[in-house]
Amino acid sequence: MSSRRAERLVLTMPPDAGLARLARRVCFHFLREHGFRALEARRRARAVERAIPGLLKPRAGARRDSSAALVLTLSSKDRSLEVIGRLGARGEARRLIRMDRPFAT
């Protein structure tokens, strides 16, 4: 078994819910590249797409900076993959998905 390198992909986009499909496509290809089958990668990528409008809504009592970018961080570690979303550089980070890596048998 070869050792895997940790990777991180940062996708920065304008805070527009219309770009959620782009995030889904990027997430799908990232998951496929890291060993997930197409059906599972598609399901997880759709979950990220559905979570994006929630990231764009301000929390109760919080002000929303309309110029803050939507930042998605897709990272792979030895045993897991995760997608974290935040609005702006200082926004609250939310884990959108986390999953164990598939292992080849």
Side-chain angles (χ1 to χ4, degrees):
M1 185 169 170
S2 64
S3 66
R4 294 187 173 121
R5 242 180 47 221
E7 290 183 40
R8 180 176 292 164
L9 173 70
V10 178
L11 175 65
T12 305
M13 313 183 301
D16 181 5
L19 295 174
R21 185 169 184 217
L22 174 64
R24 181 184 80 193
R25 292 182 61 121
V26 169
C27 185
F28 172 77
H29 289 290
F30 184 80
L31 295 173
R32 289 289 292 152
E33 182 69 28
H34 290 287
F36 285 88
R37 294 196 160 174
L39 183 61
E40 183 65 20
R42 194 173 299 121
R43 285 179 182 157
R44 299 299 181 127
R46 279 189 196 134
V48 170
E49 180 182 22
R50 285 190 305 269
I52 288 185
L55 282 173
L56 298 176
K57 291 180 186 173
R59 298 274 186 233
R63 290 183 47 196
R64 178 174 177 235
D65 181 10
S66 62
S67 65
L70 175 63
V71 180
L72 293 179
T73 305
L74 297 90
S75 58
S76 67
K77 299 174 183 165
D78 281 343
R79 297 186 182 266
S80 66
L81 294 163
E82 66 182 5
V83 177
I84 297 174
R86 75 175 61 224
L87 191 58
R90 297 181 185 195
E92 176 186 344
R94 258 180 44 195
R95 182 182 292 154
L96 304 179
I97 60 170
R98 183 189 180 285
M99 51 208 304
D100 293 331
R101 274 186 185 264
F103 290 103
T105 57

